[in-house]
Amino acid sequence: MTELAERKMRFLYALRSKGVTDPRVLSAMERIDRGHFVKGLFAERAYEDTPLPIACGQTISQPSVVGLMTQALDVGPRDKVLEIGTGSGYQAAILSQLARRVYTVERHRRLVREAQEVFDSLAFTNITALSADGSRGLPEQAPFDRIIVTAAAEDPPGPLLAQLREGGIMVLPVGQSDAVQSLIKVTRTAAGYDYEELRPVRFVPLVEGLGQD
Ligand code: SAH
């Protein structure tokens, strides 16, 4: 076996051992090469289960956290999904394998541009990447079947709750930006919203407004 194949096998093993067991999520993560989304110096660490730096002072999330969040989101093939925090585009790429359409919103234009280049090179045609302040959601495409937020707010942003379809699921980290946050799963019911706390996590903060670059 080549060294790359061996690294990829260890990558999948790490996902399973951290609780990513949904076969659809595992197969999407097997298909999407994280190496496409990590640049320069850090590229050789793409298959480690660790967050890594990307442009604009942001990070690509830890693969097992991507897997656990995707699994909690329970995405179906007819779903329209909104992601807040495109970053490298890796999470959006995984979602694109499971959903009908993915909208992903990022406040740094440069990250949107770079993620779009990767999506184009891999011919992913069901992802729309936009630069905007994701804390307002994407009202023109609402409602969404699923919403995933990959940056931490103190509370679930009201516009995102409002843009979730009844029966829909939103997964997001909440809590003080530099302390440990909680990953929560919000389900919209006819009567309101149900909240379930999943696990402690650590994400970059959700920042209002567009970035400088
Ligand atoms: N999902 C990403 C990880 C992103 S890190 C991946 O797979 O690589 C979180 C991202 O959220 C950062 O790129 C940050 O710029 C972005 N972000 C923070 N606040 C935001 C906001 N209000 N709207 C849109 N994006 C935001």
Side-chain angles (χ1 to χ4, degrees):
M1 198 186 302
T2 66
E3 198 192 321
L4 185 63
E6 208 174 300
R7 277 201 239 167
K8 288 186 175 177
M9 219 176 85
R10 274 204 299 273
F11 175 79
L12 287 170
Y13 179 79
L15 292 176
R16 282 197 204 90
S17 70
K18 301 243 169 97
V20 184
T21 51
D22 182 329
R24 289 174 313 149
V25 175
L26 283 168
S27 106
M29 293 186 77
E30 187 173 0
R31 279 197 303 275
I32 305 294
D33 188 339
R34 191 169 180 250
H36 294 304
F37 300 89
V38 185
K39 297 189 168 61
L41 273 180
F42 295 100
E44 64 178 40
R45 300 182 58 192
Y47 310 109
E48 292 177 22
D49 189 27
T50 180
L52 292 168
I54 56 172
C56 305
Q58 305 302 315
T59 52
I60 177 171
S61 309
Q62 184 178 351
S64 57
V65 173
V66 170
L68 290 169
M69 287 177 80
T70 308
Q71 186 165 286
L73 206 58
D74 193 19
V75 180
R78 298 173 58 84
D79 286 349
K80 180 165 77 168
V81 181
L82 173 64
E83 178 195 27
I84 307 302
T86 311
S88 67
Y90 179 61
Q91 172 76 71
I94 305 288
L95 292 168
S96 79
Q97 304 295 296
L98 304 166
R100 177 171 58 83
R101 173 145 287 282
V102 178
Y103 291 90
T104 181
V105 177
E106 166 61 54
R107 63 188 290 277
H108 288 289
R109 277 175 288 262
R110 175 177 170 190
L111 293 175
V112 173
R113 201 171 55 239
E114 291 181 0
Q116 187 66 56
E117 283 168 15
V118 182
F119 300 151
D120 290 345
S121 73
L122 299 172
F124 292 156
T125 54
N126 66 339
I127 309 177
T128 305
L130 303 155
S131 46
D133 176 0
S135 58
R136 297 152 186 246
L138 193 59
E140 58 272 33
Q141 295 296 341
F144 295 95
D145 302 295
R146 299 289 185 264
I147 300 178
I148 181 170
V149 188
T150 63
E154 285 199 21
D155 296 297
L160 297 183
L161 288 170
Q163 290 169 32
L164 189 60
R165 186 192 299 285
E166 193 182 311
I169 297 173
M170 169 156 70
V171 173
L172 77 167
V174 290
Q176 301 292 334
S177 55
D178 47 359
V180 170
Q181 305 133 6
S182 233
L183 188 64
I184 63 168
K185 174 176 172 174
V186 182
T187 307
R188 183 165 192 175
T189 65
Y193 297 90
D194 286 344
Y195 295 85
E196 184 188 343
E197 208 171 311
L198 301 177
R199 50 175 268 143
V201 281
R202 194 160 185 185
F203 277 85
V204 297
L206 189 74
V207 179
E208 288 190 9
L210 272 176
Q212 295 300 313
D213 46 359

